[in-house]
Amino acid sequence: MIETTDLLIIGAGPAGIAAALAAAPSGARITLIDDNPLAGGQIWRDGPQAKLPTLARQLRQDLQHHTNVRHYPATRVIAQSGARQLLLEDPQRGWRIHYDKLILCTGARELLLPFPGWTLPGVTGAGGLQALIKGGLPVSGQRLVIAGSGPLLLASAATARQAGADILRVAEQAPRSAVAGFAAQLPRWPHKALQAFGLFDRHYRTDTHVLAALGSDRLEGVRLSQRGQIVELACERLACGFGLIPNTQLGQALGCALDGHALAVDEWQTSSLVDHYAAGECTGFGGSELALVEGAIAGHAAVGDRDAARALWSRRKRWQGFADTLNHAFALDPRLKSLAQPDTLVCRCEDVTYAALSGHRDWREAKLASRCGMGACQGRVCGGATSHLFGWQQAAPRPPFSPARIDTLLCLDDTPPA
């Protein structure tokens, strides 16, 4: 079976929702897919302990009012099956969909940098811990250290604190001067200033980064460099996140060009491929406000309403200013490249150490020699780490892009030559 749609939107986070709502009044047939069970993406992730903001709930309701928007949750892209055609899979079936235009809103994932002990049970990503807590993970009474860089640390700490965790330290690697400079700029975006004030934690320390997770069978403590001094804290959980990496894999597989580590787009959010747009954090990290306006611009542009898209350019510029300020303030210190020791695992799926990778020239050579990136995560974790550590650029992924059932892959047998 081949389904057809005028506009396919991949990703139902803020950018994808905004794109669908902007395009819906045109009457176009719109299909919105996401691998999560509910719309909202990672930032508005739902769960037993999640408290969604009013805006997220309102946008979900608005989506339901448009009969020309079909939302397929728990759905993944498995492969490209022809020109403007993708193979999809949900828990019940696999099928192909043909689209006239496409908007990529594939978001971003955490950058996890390897350090001694980072694979111990009890160590997670900062955003990963937040998602686990929203999904029902009990942390009440547990001692918790959060380390890395960026505002996600404070957001994760707030979620954990509300769930009853004992926050021992929020370790921000950026220097005090950079964080103070960022805070001084926040009045330009009053909502963000108010948000930052509400998230402040008295255990927040700048110029502080993780050195090692301590323990044998599971996490027992953490060693930090805190403003030049070594500090050790006993704890049950350590959450580390060193910023975000744009999810560009699908865009690359389709042939979209990159701008640095993000998908390249023009003023209409158009990628290097005709009729293929991109919006949100796959084009660079800037927060939900930037993702919403970029998604709306892409949605208007995709259905030919360029006047409505152009009217949003000034708002996008405003939030791009915030993104630039944020990314400059929380740039990663070069010292973080030396956290891993020779025997520290970099690719945890295939047990590949830092020493096994350091002598190679690029990602392909390292992959051939060590199986780095060939495990379950398919390089989604170690790929970002090796890019930061060695400057390697990952190649475009090959299908299937995600694990798939045999009956889904058999749908490709009926695919005519492109």
Side-chain angles (χ1 to χ4, degrees), residues 106-130:
T106 48
R109 63 189 185 280
E110 281 190 278
L111 172 61
L112 303 176
L113 297 181
F115 53 86
W118 77 289
T119 59
L120 282 171
V123 182
T124 65
L129 177 65
Q130 194 177 33

PDB file of all heavy atoms in Angstrom, residues 106-130:
ATOM      1  N   THR A 106      13.233  17.113  12.913  1.00  0.00           N
ATOM      2  CA  THR A 106      13.747  15.927  13.603  1.00  0.00           C
ATOM      3  C   THR A 106      14.472  16.236  14.909  1.00  0.00           C
ATOM      4  O   THR A 106      14.994  15.318  15.556  1.00  0.00           O
ATOM      5  CB  THR A 106      14.661  15.129  12.660  1.00  0.00           C
ATOM      6  OG1 THR A 106      15.593  16.025  12.030  1.00  0.00           O
ATOM      7  CG2 THR A 106      13.855  14.437  11.576  1.00  0.00           C
ATOM      8  N   GLY A 107      14.545  17.501  15.296  1.00  0.00           N
ATOM      9  CA  GLY A 107      15.028  17.854  16.617  1.00  0.00           C
ATOM     10  C   GLY A 107      16.508  17.622  16.837  1.00  0.00           C
ATOM     11  O   GLY A 107      17.322  17.677  15.907  1.00  0.00           O
ATOM     12  N   ALA A 108      16.858  17.363  18.081  1.00  0.00           N
ATOM     13  CA  ALA A 108      18.261  17.211  18.471  1.00  0.00           C
ATOM     14  C   ALA A 108      18.358  16.150  19.561  1.00  0.00           C
ATOM     15  O   ALA A 108      17.350  15.705  20.111  1.00  0.00           O
ATOM     16  CB  ALA A 108      18.822  18.543  18.970  1.00  0.00           C
ATOM     17  N   ARG A 109      19.569  15.737  19.847  1.00  0.00           N
ATOM     18  CA  ARG A 109      19.825  14.786  20.929  1.00  0.00           C
ATOM     19  C   ARG A 109      20.986  15.303  21.763  1.00  0.00           C
ATOM     20  O   ARG A 109      21.727  16.192  21.330  1.00  0.00           O
ATOM     21  CB  ARG A 109      20.141  13.394  20.371  1.00  0.00           C
ATOM     22  CG  ARG A 109      21.397  13.332  19.528  1.00  0.00           C
ATOM     23  CD  ARG A 109      21.523  11.991  18.822  1.00  0.00           C
ATOM     24  NE  ARG A 109      22.775  11.868  18.098  1.00  0.00           N
ATOM     25  CZ  ARG A 109      23.023  12.389  16.904  1.00  0.00           C
ATOM     26  NH1 ARG A 109      22.091  13.091  16.293  1.00  0.00           N
ATOM     27  NH2 ARG A 109      24.191  12.209  16.320  1.00  0.00           N
ATOM     28  N   GLU A 110      21.153  14.726  22.943  1.00  0.00           N
ATOM     29  CA  GLU A 110      22.210  15.174  23.839  1.00  0.00           C
ATOM     30  C   GLU A 110      23.602  14.785  23.343  1.00  0.00           C
ATOM     31  O   GLU A 110      23.792  13.704  22.785  1.00  0.00           O
ATOM     32  CB  GLU A 110      22.014  14.562  25.224  1.00  0.00           C
ATOM     33  CG  GLU A 110      20.966  15.237  26.064  1.00  0.00           C
ATOM     34  CD  GLU A 110      20.997  14.733  27.490  1.00  0.00           C
ATOM     35  OE1 GLU A 110      20.409  13.670  27.754  1.00  0.00           O
ATOM     36  OE2 GLU A 110      21.601  15.418  28.337  1.00  0.00           O
ATOM     37  N   LEU A 111      24.547  15.669  23.591  1.00  0.00           N
ATOM     38  CA  LEU A 111      25.954  15.328  23.399  1.00  0.00           C
ATOM     39  C   LEU A 111      26.453  14.714  24.698  1.00  0.00           C
ATOM     40  O   LEU A 111      26.460  15.359  25.744  1.00  0.00           O
ATOM     41  CB  LEU A 111      26.770  16.573  23.053  1.00  0.00           C
ATOM     42  CG  LEU A 111      28.299  16.374  23.006  1.00  0.00           C
ATOM     43  CD1 LEU A 111      28.696  15.347  21.957  1.00  0.00           C
ATOM     44  CD2 LEU A 111      29.000  17.708  22.746  1.00  0.00           C
ATOM     45  N   LEU A 112      26.864  13.453  24.622  1.00  0.00           N
ATOM     46  CA  LEU A 112      27.410  12.739  25.773  1.00  0.00           C
ATOM     47  C   LEU A 112      28.893  12.520  25.540  1.00  0.00           C
ATOM     48  O   LEU A 112      29.278  11.860  24.573  1.00  0.00           O
ATOM     49  CB  LEU A 112      26.695  11.397  25.954  1.00  0.00           C
ATOM     50  CG  LEU A 112      25.171  11.468  26.110  1.00  0.00           C
ATOM     51  CD1 LEU A 112      24.580  10.069  26.184  1.00  0.00           C
ATOM     52  CD2 LEU A 112      24.784  12.281  27.331  1.00  0.00           C
ATOM     53  N   LEU A 113      29.722  13.092  26.385  1.00  0.00           N
ATOM     54  CA  LEU A 113      31.171  12.947  26.257  1.00  0.00           C
ATOM     55  C   LEU A 113      31.664  11.878  27.220  1.00  0.00           C
ATOM     56  O   LEU A 113      31.254  11.842  28.384  1.00  0.00           O
ATOM     57  CB  LEU A 113      31.865  14.282  26.547  1.00  0.00           C
ATOM     58  CG  LEU A 113      31.540  15.429  25.591  1.00  0.00           C
ATOM     59  CD1 LEU A 113      32.309  16.682  25.988  1.00  0.00           C
ATOM     60  CD2 LEU A 113      31.863  15.047  24.147  1.00  0.00           C
ATOM     61  N   PRO A 114      32.556  10.999  26.759  1.00  0.00           N
ATOM     62  CA  PRO A 114      33.031   9.918  27.624  1.00  0.00           C
ATOM     63  C   PRO A 114      34.016  10.406  28.683  1.00  0.00           C
ATOM     64  O   PRO A 114      34.837  11.289  28.433  1.00  0.00           O
ATOM     65  CB  PRO A 114      33.707   8.958  26.642  1.00  0.00           C
ATOM     66  CG  PRO A 114      34.133   9.814  25.500  1.00  0.00           C
ATOM     67  CD  PRO A 114      33.103  10.905  25.388  1.00  0.00           C
ATOM     68  N   PHE A 115      33.906   9.830  29.870  1.00  0.00           N
ATOM     69  CA  PHE A 115      34.847  10.071  30.962  1.00  0.00           C
ATOM     70  C   PHE A 115      34.896   8.786  31.785  1.00  0.00           C
ATOM     71  O   PHE A 115      33.990   7.935  31.666  1.00  0.00           O
ATOM     72  CB  PHE A 115      34.424  11.275  31.815  1.00  0.00           C
ATOM     73  CG  PHE A 115      33.002  11.200  32.314  1.00  0.00           C
ATOM     74  CD1 PHE A 115      32.683  10.533  33.497  1.00  0.00           C
ATOM     75  CD2 PHE A 115      31.976  11.804  31.594  1.00  0.00           C
ATOM     76  CE1 PHE A 115      31.382  10.462  33.952  1.00  0.00           C
ATOM     77  CE2 PHE A 115      30.657  11.718  32.047  1.00  0.00           C
ATOM     78  CZ  PHE A 115      30.367  11.056  33.228  1.00  0.00           C
ATOM     79  N   PRO A 116      35.904   8.570  32.594  1.00  0.00           N
ATOM     80  CA  PRO A 116      35.986   7.336  33.372  1.00  0.00           C
ATOM     81  C   PRO A 116      34.728   7.098  34.200  1.00  0.00           C
ATOM     82  O   PRO A 116      34.303   7.967  34.956  1.00  0.00           O
ATOM     83  CB  PRO A 116      37.212   7.562  34.270  1.00  0.00           C
ATOM     84  CG  PRO A 116      38.071   8.499  33.480  1.00  0.00           C
ATOM     85  CD  PRO A 116      37.111   9.424  32.783  1.00  0.00           C
ATOM     86  N   GLY A 117      34.129   5.936  34.024  1.00  0.00           N
ATOM     87  CA  GLY A 117      32.953   5.570  34.794  1.00  0.00           C
ATOM     88  C   GLY A 117      31.625   5.988  34.198  1.00  0.00           C
ATOM     89  O   GLY A 117      30.578   5.727  34.795  1.00  0.00           O
ATOM     90  N   TRP A 118      31.629   6.599  33.002  1.00  0.00           N
ATOM     91  CA  TRP A 118      30.367   7.128  32.470  1.00  0.00           C
ATOM     92  C   TRP A 118      29.378   6.038  32.063  1.00  0.00           C
ATOM     93  O   TRP A 118      28.183   6.327  31.874  1.00  0.00           O
ATOM     94  CB  TRP A 118      30.624   8.074  31.298  1.00  0.00           C
ATOM     95  CG  TRP A 118      30.964   7.398  29.999  1.00  0.00           C
ATOM     96  CD1 TRP A 118      32.111   6.745  29.697  1.00  0.00           C
ATOM     97  CD2 TRP A 118      30.153   7.343  28.828  1.00  0.00           C
ATOM     98  NE1 TRP A 118      32.080   6.281  28.404  1.00  0.00           N
ATOM     99  CE2 TRP A 118      30.888   6.634  27.841  1.00  0.00           C
ATOM    100  CE3 TRP A 118      28.889   7.831  28.495  1.00  0.00           C
ATOM    101  CZ2 TRP A 118      30.395   6.383  26.568  1.00  0.00           C
ATOM    102  CZ3 TRP A 118      28.394   7.589  27.213  1.00  0.00           C
ATOM    103  CH2 TRP A 118      29.134   6.877  26.265  1.00  0.00           C
ATOM    104  N   THR A 119      29.829   4.779  31.966  1.00  0.00           N
ATOM    105  CA  THR A 119      28.928   3.680  31.619  1.00  0.00           C
ATOM    106  C   THR A 119      28.370   2.960  32.839  1.00  0.00           C
ATOM    107  O   THR A 119      27.648   1.980  32.698  1.00  0.00           O
ATOM    108  CB  THR A 119      29.657   2.663  30.720  1.00  0.00           C
ATOM    109  OG1 THR A 119      30.801   2.154  31.413  1.00  0.00           O
ATOM    110  CG2 THR A 119      30.114   3.308  29.416  1.00  0.00           C
ATOM    111  N   LEU A 120      28.699   3.414  34.042  1.00  0.00           N
ATOM    112  CA  LEU A 120      28.172   2.779  35.255  1.00  0.00           C
ATOM    113  C   LEU A 120      26.651   2.937  35.358  1.00  0.00           C
ATOM    114  O   LEU A 120      26.103   3.998  35.000  1.00  0.00           O
ATOM    115  CB  LEU A 120      28.800   3.405  36.504  1.00  0.00           C
ATOM    116  CG  LEU A 120      30.215   2.985  36.894  1.00  0.00           C
ATOM    117  CD1 LEU A 120      30.730   3.878  38.025  1.00  0.00           C
ATOM    118  CD2 LEU A 120      30.250   1.515  37.315  1.00  0.00           C
ATOM    119  N   PRO A 121      25.946   1.913  35.841  1.00  0.00           N
ATOM    120  CA  PRO A 121      24.523   2.096  36.143  1.00  0.00           C
ATOM    121  C   PRO A 121      24.342   3.244  37.134  1.00  0.00           C
ATOM    122  O   PRO A 121      25.065   3.346  38.120  1.00  0.00           O
ATOM    123  CB  PRO A 121      24.128   0.750  36.777  1.00  0.00           C
ATOM    124  CG  PRO A 121      25.109  -0.234  36.223  1.00  0.00           C
ATOM    125  CD  PRO A 121      26.402   0.526  36.091  1.00  0.00           C
ATOM    126  N   GLY A 122      23.396   4.113  36.842  1.00  0.00           N
ATOM    127  CA  GLY A 122      23.185   5.305  37.666  1.00  0.00           C
ATOM    128  C   GLY A 122      23.634   6.577  36.979  1.00  0.00           C
ATOM    129  O   GLY A 122      23.320   7.677  37.428  1.00  0.00           O
ATOM    130  N   VAL A 123      24.381   6.431  35.866  1.00  0.00           N
ATOM    131  CA  VAL A 123      24.826   7.588  35.079  1.00  0.00           C
ATOM    132  C   VAL A 123      23.963   7.676  33.831  1.00  0.00           C
ATOM    133  O   VAL A 123      23.823   6.700  33.090  1.00  0.00           O
ATOM    134  CB  VAL A 123      26.312   7.470  34.692  1.00  0.00           C
ATOM    135  CG1 VAL A 123      26.754   8.711  33.915  1.00  0.00           C
ATOM    136  CG2 VAL A 123      27.179   7.267  35.916  1.00  0.00           C
ATOM    137  N   THR A 124      23.366   8.837  33.600  1.00  0.00           N
ATOM    138  CA  THR A 124      22.513   9.057  32.429  1.00  0.00           C
ATOM    139  C   THR A 124      22.835  10.421  31.818  1.00  0.00           C
ATOM    140  O   THR A 124      23.648  11.189  32.356  1.00  0.00           O
ATOM    141  CB  THR A 124      21.020   9.055  32.808  1.00  0.00           C
ATOM    142  OG1 THR A 124      20.754  10.182  33.668  1.00  0.00           O
ATOM    143  CG2 THR A 124      20.622   7.778  33.514  1.00  0.00           C
ATOM    144  N   GLY A 125      22.173  10.727  30.721  1.00  0.00           N
ATOM    145  CA  GLY A 125      22.207  12.085  30.203  1.00  0.00           C
ATOM    146  C   GLY A 125      21.332  12.981  31.058  1.00  0.00           C
ATOM    147  O   GLY A 125      20.423  12.505  31.759  1.00  0.00           O
ATOM    148  N   ALA A 126      21.576  14.288  31.007  1.00  0.00           N
ATOM    149  CA  ALA A 126      20.751  15.227  31.781  1.00  0.00           C
ATOM    150  C   ALA A 126      19.318  15.237  31.258  1.00  0.00           C
ATOM    151  O   ALA A 126      18.357  15.140  32.023  1.00  0.00           O
ATOM    152  CB  ALA A 126      21.362  16.624  31.727  1.00  0.00           C
ATOM    153  N   GLY A 127      19.178  15.338  29.946  1.00  0.00           N
ATOM    154  CA  GLY A 127      17.850  15.267  29.354  1.00  0.00           C
ATOM    155  C   GLY A 127      17.255  13.879  29.478  1.00  0.00           C
ATOM    156  O   GLY A 127      16.042  13.720  29.628  1.00  0.00           O
ATOM    157  N   GLY A 128      18.117  12.862  29.420  1.00  0.00           N
ATOM    158  CA  GLY A 128      17.650  11.497  29.576  1.00  0.00           C
ATOM    159  C   GLY A 128      17.034  11.268  30.950  1.00  0.00           C
ATOM    160  O   GLY A 128      15.991  10.620  31.088  1.00  0.00           O
ATOM    161  N   LEU A 129      17.672  11.806  31.990  1.00  0.00           N
ATOM    162  CA  LEU A 129      17.122  11.672  33.334  1.00  0.00           C
ATOM    163  C   LEU A 129      15.778  12.382  33.429  1.00  0.00           C
ATOM    164  O   LEU A 129      14.824  11.864  34.027  1.00  0.00           O
ATOM    165  CB  LEU A 129      18.084  12.259  34.364  1.00  0.00           C
ATOM    166  CG  LEU A 129      17.573  12.234  35.808  1.00  0.00           C
ATOM    167  CD1 LEU A 129      17.420  10.798  36.301  1.00  0.00           C
ATOM    168  CD2 LEU A 129      18.483  13.022  36.732  1.00  0.00           C
ATOM    169  N   GLN A 130      15.692  13.545  32.833  1.00  0.00           N
ATOM    170  CA  GLN A 130      14.432  14.299  32.848  1.00  0.00           C
ATOM    171  C   GLN A 130      13.314  13.483  32.203  1.00  0.00           C
ATOM    172  O   GLN A 130      12.196  13.402  32.728  1.00  0.00           O
ATOM    173  CB  GLN A 130      14.625  15.626  32.119  1.00  0.00           C
ATOM    174  CG  GLN A 130      13.512  16.629  32.336  1.00  0.00           C
ATOM    175  CD  GLN A 130      13.804  17.942  31.652  1.00  0.00           C
ATOM    176  OE1 GLN A 130      14.432  17.988  30.590  1.00  0.00           O
ATOM    177  NE2 GLN A 130      13.347  19.037  32.234  1.00  0.00           N
TER     178      GLN A 130
END
